[in-house]
Amino acid sequence: MRKLFATILLCLAGTAAQAEDWVIKPSPYDVATTADRLEGIIDASPASLVARVDHQAAAAGADLQMDPATVLIFGNPALGTPLMQADPRAALDLPLRVLVWQDADGAKIGYLSVEALAERYDLDSAKDTLERMKQALASMTDKAVAED
């Protein structure tokens, strides 16, 4: 379990090092509330939640401590399938993942930009799909952090 956790942390650290590939938004809510809000938005959309990963709880299970961090994994086959048809390697980054985490500045929500996804794979034939995905991610995460 510890090896798995260490691997996850290394993967997250490697991704975070390329922050220019990320869309990051501050949240006025704590991590759990932000993640709950996003989950509700996903449930009300054409997308489906695949998994919710609470990294802080996993760390506690390994007798380790870390700040709150939750990943929501979700997708919409109507958007993801054309990308995987254009380049099957895109399946490595699909379904989409959104990270909600806490740092010294507060809670944040972030995800790999659609442009970064397009650069990783040969998705020139799926520009319309990528634009729809970009708009959906922006809208969903904006709603998750919107103050009521």
Side-chain angles (χ1 to χ4, degrees):
M1 179 72 174
R2 287 190 173 138
K3 287 182 181 180
L4 174 63
F5 185 71
T7 301
I8 291 169
L9 286 178
L10 286 174
C11 289
L12 286 174
T15 305
Q18 298 177 7
E20 68 275 3
D21 291 343
W22 278 65
V23 175
I24 299 172
K25 302 171 184 180
S27 176
Y29 308 104
D30 63 23
V31 169
T33 302
T34 304
D36 289 346
R37 289 171 60 92
L38 181 58
E39 185 172 340
I41 292 161
I42 293 166
D43 289 344
S45 78
S48 299
L49 184 69
V50 175
R52 180 172 171 158
V53 181
D54 182 338
H55 288 291
Q56 185 181 44
D63 294 324
L64 298 168
Q65 293 182 349
M66 67 176 283
D67 289 335
T70 299
V71 176
L72 284 87
I73 303 168
F74 62 96
N76 177 346
L79 293 177
T81 302
L83 300 181
M84 292 181 283
Q85 289 171 328
D87 187 338
R89 298 173 302 158
L92 185 62
D93 285 309
L94 298 171
L96 296 170
R97 296 176 304 265
V98 173
L99 172 64
V100 184
W101 76 100
Q102 179 78 34
D103 66 16
D105 297 324
K108 299 202 174 31
I109 191 168
Y111 54 91
L112 182 68
S113 73
V114 172
E115 293 82 5
L117 183 67
E119 285 179 27
R120 284 185 183 182
Y121 308 107
D122 183 15
L123 301 177
D124 290 339
S125 64
K127 288 183 180 180
D128 290 340
T129 301
L130 288 167
E131 184 58 33
R132 288 176 48 215
M133 183 178 284
K134 179 179 179 177
Q135 290 175 5
L137 275 168
S139 174
M140 294 169 100
T141 55
D142 283 348
K143 288 177 185 175
V145 299
E147 294 191 56
D148 293 327

